[in-house]
Amino acid sequence: MAGRAELFEDMAQAFDEGSGNPNLSTVFAGPRGTGKTAAIFALSRQAASQGWLAVNVSAVPGMLDDILQQTLKTAAQFVDEGAGVRLKGVSLGQVLGIEWEPAQPGERNWRSRMEDILDALAEYDIGLLITVDEVKPDLDEMVQLASTYQHFVGEDRKVALFMAGLPSKVSSLVSDESISFLRRSCRRNFGRISNADVAEALRATIEEGGRTIGDDALDAAVEAIDGFPYMMQLVGFRAWAQHPAEKEITLRDVQRGIEGAQRDFRERVLDATYYDLSAGDARMLEAMLADPDESRLSDLAARMGESSSYVSTYKKRLVEQGVIGERGRSVVAFELPGIREYLAERLG
């Protein structure tokens, strides 16, 4: 969670204030490896510490039923399934309790069943946070969840919804006319964090674990991480694992850790990113390889024999995917650590 202090401060205030705080409806967007999933899980734990129920699901078929079942599981010590799944009792921190009467038989839709849960929780001023990871705009249940949640907010219920996904997926989702309220939700864009935050987080974690790291070793780790949260996790884990019984993590430990982390990053992030590229995406990235660092869009258009609007279209796509980043007016550069070398190998 390095570099995310402001986010957690804002959300702590939102959980305290409840209904009406705009941060309770937030979309997290960022490329793979920028810490979106880790953040929403950490925020779920924070919500629970402030008296909320928190359920975490992924955007897959059956998501709505998963939300219902996870809510019951999180809240209930005892569930009566004899006449429709209904909550019988809930305990939070061994302080609060909720008792429901058995439900009458009959088919009821997802919204109605969730309203029953929210009504019962409201009696004890307990909020419900739903987090959805890896949003998929083409999943019908995503639209149903968002539109139903909009009604919950309009009814002034104590609910929160956090969604996380790749920028391109998030953009497609919020453009859906049937859930236009998502455009007014808060948006948190995840990307690189500062080298200072990386260094502080690494040193603090190592020292809290009873070990030390020298300045040279720390500098090498920070340079390899390049502000990318997932690389920080990988480099830290790999470096620590070299000689876990030793007091100091040495420069050699870090160098070997970097080698392993780069392999992991390639397999888990770069490969997946590459296979998501369209032919046009790959063609523009190949044109960027001719530049030693930054690329001007006008140069790319001339190199590719295409119009400026064509290049701008693919620039937007690649920026949304987190593959490249803007470096000024009409200037772009590779964004993912190691992506230039990876593409040079794959594209020839």
Side-chain angles (χ1 to χ4, degrees):
M1 296 301 103
R4 312 292 187 203
E6 182 180 349
L7 167 64
F8 282 86
E9 290 170 2
D10 289 345
M11 293 306 182
Q13 181 179 358
F15 294 137
D16 278 341
E17 293 180 354
S19 302
N21 189 298
N23 285 304
L24 294 179
S25 302
T26 296
V27 179
F28 301 87
R32 293 180 179 88
T34 50
K36 304 181 299 298
T37 300
I40 60 176
F41 274 108
L43 288 169
S44 294
R45 292 191 292 272
Q46 180 169 325
S49 73
Q50 294 181 237
W52 288 60
L53 293 183
V55 296
N56 308 292
V57 300
S58 295
V60 295
M63 177 185 70
L64 294 181
D65 187 60
D66 193 19
I67 290 171
L68 177 65
Q69 298 302 327
Q70 290 301 316
T71 302
L72 292 171
K73 180 179 178 181
T74 302
Q77 290 180 320
F78 305 99
V79 176
D80 180 5
E81 301 185 23
V85 177
R86 294 303 302 273
L87 182 66
K88 288 177 61 181
V90 64
S91 176
L92 291 178
Q94 298 180 342
V95 175
L96 299 174
I98 296 175
E99 293 295 332
W100 293 5
E101 294 298 325
Q104 294 299 317
E107 292 294 327
R108 309 177 71 248
N109 65 21
W110 185 81
R111 176 180 172 180
S112 297
R113 298 172 74 187
M114 290 299 298
E115 285 175 341
D116 284 347
I117 296 174
L118 294 173
D119 286 342
L121 296 178
E123 295 181 18
Y124 297 86
D125 195 30
I126 300 171
L128 174 65
L129 166 64
I130 300 170
T131 76
V132 182
D133 198 15
E134 300 294 343
V135 299
K136 294 180 177 62
D138 57 346
L139 181 65
D140 290 341
E141 289 178 77
M142 286 293 311
V143 176
Q144 186 177 348
L145 169 62
S147 59
T148 301
Y149 174 79
Q150 182 177 3
H151 288 293
F152 292 160
V153 172
E155 295 162 2
D156 200 31
R157 296 181 181 277
K158 192 173 181 179
V159 292
L161 177 63
F162 296 165
M163 295 184 172
L166 298 174
S168 57
K169 303 291 188 183
V170 167
S171 295
S172 296
L173 179 66
V174 300
S175 66
D176 192 306
E177 293 293 338
S178 64
I179 48 174
S180 59
F181 93 99
L182 282 180
R183 299 174 198 167
R184 302 186 294 276
S185 298
C186 293
R187 179 158 172 170
R188 301 276 182 160
N189 294 315
F190 277 34
R192 277 182 162 84
I193 55 179
S194 72
N195 285 347
D197 284 329
V198 171
E200 180 183 358
L202 281 175
R203 190 184 293 278
T205 304
I206 290 167
E207 291 177 352
E208 286 172 9
R211 301 181 70 185
T212 62
I213 184 169
D215 290 341
D216 289 346
L218 184 63
D219 289 344
V222 171
E223 181 179 358
I225 290 165
D226 196 22
F228 215 69
Y230 187 45
M231 272 297 286
M232 178 168 62
Q233 185 180 15
L234 292 174
V235 171
F237 172 77
R238 290 287 191 177
W240 180 286
Q242 297 304 313
H243 299 97
E246 297 294 328
K247 178 71 174 178
E248 181 181 3
I249 296 178
T250 66
L251 176 59
R252 180 57 180 157
D253 291 336
V254 169
Q255 289 170 338
R256 294 183 65 182
I258 290 170
E259 293 172 2
Q262 289 173 338
R263 289 194 300 270
D264 292 340
F265 193 82
R266 177 188 177 98
E267 294 171 359
R268 301 174 191 177
V269 175
L270 298 183
D271 280 347
T273 299
Y274 177 78
Y275 290 122
D276 278 348
L277 298 176
S278 70
D281 293 332
R283 186 173 171 227
M284 178 161 166
L285 293 171
E286 187 172 9
M288 289 178 61
L289 292 174
D291 297 312
D293 186 14
E294 298 176 344
S295 298
R296 293 189 174 278
L297 297 185
S298 57
D299 293 339
L300 295 175
R303 201 171 292 155
M304 298 168 67
E306 299 289 356
S307 66
S308 59
S309 61
Y310 178 94
V311 172
S312 294
T313 297
Y314 282 97
K315 181 212 76 171
K316 182 176 184 295
R317 282 174 49 86
L318 291 166
V319 167
E320 286 188 341
Q321 294 175 64
V323 180
I324 66 175
E326 297 182 278
R327 297 293 186 269
R329 186 177 178 84
S330 300
V331 177
V332 294
F334 290 106
E335 189 74 13
L336 285 174
I339 190 67
R340 172 185 286 275
E341 295 77 12
Y342 178 91
L343 289 171
E345 177 185 333
R346 293 299 300 253
L347 300 176

